[in-house]
């Protein structure tokens, strides 16, 4: 249900907007990035059939996505029921990494496999966790560029890149976001109605009790609790920072409906004991 994470709606709408060719989503873990990709795949199978390329960091991860995410979605979504051929049929064109549907097909590739990136013309290119991609797909070069080249002949081509960022200055998704409109999700304070983006510096808690963390409004200083979050998310809106032909979105874990302020604060207190765990946090 998109109402559970309303910020995803604007991103999915951008992917379906014929005026937008490239969409970038820089996000924290567990905020719904892969679900966006799943929904986009389902949309194009059901509403606008086309050749699709889904790129994961490795071929093994591509197989895992196909079995653990894509297959259950096909099984459990009424709109997709029967639209993709069963790989157990006698159709040699239908495998774990390649599936055919009326009007199109989806190829699942690994960024570490240049052969899987260069096989056929593609209209819709989807890249998941691009910061985990190798710098080069074998000797062929940047895997994102290789994948997007497959769509050159399509006037209505579409590209979506999703990832959590890694090291600042060396992050593929950060660089793509910097070239984009840099949309951020603005939500209203439930006390003063002032729209703002959620920042970690405003997350506060009593000394030694991070599990009691709350969010302090940047405008009026009022206490915002987890019970306020869902209403804020539903009233939120994406606002861009600059003009660009690339539509870019950024969200952090403070917006996640699945994580509380207290859980984030407790994990921060634990993580900052060591550089590597803090880096992951």
């Amino acid at each position: 249900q998109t109402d559970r994470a309303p910020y995803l709606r604007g991103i999915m709408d951008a992917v379906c907007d014929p005026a937008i060719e490239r969409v970038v989503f820089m996000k924290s873990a567990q905020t719904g990035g892969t679900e966006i990709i799943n929904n986009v795949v389902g949309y194009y199978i059901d509403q606008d059939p086309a050749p699709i390329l889904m790129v994961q960091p490795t071929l093994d991860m591509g197989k895992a996505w196909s079995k653990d995410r894509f297959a259950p979605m096909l099984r459990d979504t009424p709109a997709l029921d029967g639209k993709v051929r069963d790989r157990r049929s006698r159709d040699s064109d239908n495998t774990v990494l390649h599936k055919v549907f009326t009007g199109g097909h989806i190829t699942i590739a690994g960024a570490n496999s240049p052969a899987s990136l260069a096989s056929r013309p593609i209209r819709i290119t989807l890249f998941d966790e691009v910061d985990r991609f190798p710098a080069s797909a074998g000797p062929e070069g940047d895997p994102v560029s290789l994948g997007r080249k497959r769509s050159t002949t399509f006037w209505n081509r579409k590209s979506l890149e999703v990832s959590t960022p890694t090291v600042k200055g060396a992050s593929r998704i950060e660089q793509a976001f910097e070239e984009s409109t840099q949309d951020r999700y603005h939500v209203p304070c439930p006390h003063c109605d002032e729209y703002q983006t959620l920042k970690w510096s405003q997350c506060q808690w009593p000394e030694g009790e991070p599990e009691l963390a709350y969010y302090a409004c940047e405008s009026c200083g009022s206490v915002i609790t987890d019970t306020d979050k869902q209403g804020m998310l539903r009233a939120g809106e994406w606002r861009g920072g600059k003009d660009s032909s690339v539509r870019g979105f950024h969200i952090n874990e403070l917006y996640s409906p699945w994580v509380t302020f207290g859980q984030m604060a407790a994990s921060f207190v634990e993580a900052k004991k060591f550089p590597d765990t803090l880096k992951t946090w």
Side-chain angles (χ1 to χ4, degrees), residues 35 58 76 127 149 159 176 187 195 207 248 250 260 269 273 280:
E35 282 306 314
T58 66
D76 298 336
F127 305 93
K149 277 185 178 180
S159 170
V187 294
Y195 274 78
E207 182 67 32
H250 172 262
T260 67
V269 169
K273 295 177 182 178
T280 300

Side-chain angles (χ1 to χ4, degrees), residues 159-264:
S159 170
L160 170 64
E161 297 155 55
V162 176
S163 188
T164 51
T166 49
V167 180
K168 189 171 180 61
S171 165
R172 184 182 266 111
I173 197 69
E174 179 196 36
Q175 181 180 347
F177 180 74
E178 292 294 329
E179 298 168 359
S180 75
T181 55
Q182 298 182 15
D183 283 39
R184 288 180 167 84
Y185 202 63
H186 289 67
V187 294
C189 170
H191 306 285
C192 69
D193 288 329
E194 186 71 23
Y195 274 78
Q196 58 200 282
T197 57
L198 300 184
K199 303 176 181 68
W200 177 244
S201 59
Q202 298 301 116
C203 193
Q204 302 172 13
W205 57 89
E207 182 67 32
E209 297 181 289
E211 66 279 0
L212 300 181
Y214 58 89
Y215 193 88
C217 173
E218 199 171 3
S219 178
C220 69
S222 296
V223 171
I224 298 173
T225 66
D226 293 294
T227 56
D228 298 317
K229 188 189 291 189
Q230 201 61 38
M232 294 168 66
L233 292 177
R234 288 178 177 166
E237 56 188 49
W238 286 104
R239 296 179 183 179
K242 70 173 191 175
D243 291 330
S244 174
S245 61
V246 179
R247 189 77 188 275
F249 301 88
H250 172 262
I251 208 94
N252 63 52
E253 195 175 46
L254 288 167
Y255 294 90
S256 175
W258 301 285
V259 185
T260 67
F261 297 136
Q263 288 170 336
M264 273 178 276

Side-chain angles (χ1 to χ4, degrees), residues 123-170:
R123 182 183 146 208
I124 312 298
T125 49
L126 309 172
F127 305 93
D128 195 12
E129 291 298 346
V130 297
D131 268 26
R132 298 174 69 181
F133 286 13
S136 177
E140 301 292 330
D142 175 50
V144 174
S145 298
L146 282 175
R148 294 185 67 208
K149 277 185 178 180
R150 304 272 62 78
S151 63
T152 302
T153 57
F154 289 90
W155 66 270
N156 54 351
R157 56 188 173 268
K158 184 75 65 173
S159 170
L160 170 64
E161 297 155 55
V162 176
S163 188
T164 51
T166 49
V167 180
K168 189 171 180 61

Side-chain angles (χ1 to χ4, degrees), residues 96-109:
V96 172
L97 295 176
H98 182 70
K99 297 183 182 296
V100 178
F101 49 89
T102 302
H105 55 78
I106 179 168
T107 299
I108 301 153

